Amino acid sequence: SNLGMAVGMTFGCIVGMFPLMFLDTSKVEQMKKKAHLEALFQDVIEEAKSLVQAESTCLYLRVHKDTEDEKSKYKGRNSFYSS
């Protein structure tokens, strides 16, 4: 009885963790980082707008793409933010 429960629990845990093997953790981290940067840029835009008492503001970013790693990191990224 106890052996059956132990085997069942072990098997259940292994089956439950099986989908975790297929998660792309680097993609999740990139999405979190992108969301954080988007929120940061929006905060900067809102603060600049209130600082100069303007109706709208724009933020242009220039990204230096020196290495292949950085090129892939910023690929497809908008460099224009407005409020």
Side-chain angles (χ1 to χ4, degrees), residues 3 9 21 23 27 32 39 46 60-61 67 77-78:
L3 178 63
M9 287 294 294
M21 292 174 42
L23 287 179
K27 185 176 180 180
K32 284 182 183 178
E46 291 299 321
Y60 293 93
L61 301 175
T67 64
R77 182 177 233 315
N78 293 333

Side-chain angles (χ1 to χ4, degrees), residues 45-46 48-58 82-83:
I45 289 172
E46 291 299 321
K49 187 165 87 170
S50 68
L51 183 67
V52 295
Q53 298 175 352
E55 290 183 20
S56 65
T57 56
C58 294
S82 67
S83 169

Side-chain angles (χ1 to χ4, degrees), residues 14-45:
I14 290 171
V15 169
M17 289 188 292
F18 185 72
L20 297 175
M21 292 174 42
F22 300 108
L23 287 179
D24 185 8
T25 56
S26 62
K27 185 176 180 180
V28 172
E29 288 298 321
Q30 287 175 351
M31 290 173 62
K32 284 182 183 178
K33 194 174 199 179
K34 182 177 179 181
H36 176 71
L37 287 175
E38 295 285 336
L40 181 66
F41 293 147
Q42 289 300 325
D43 287 344
V44 168
I45 289 172

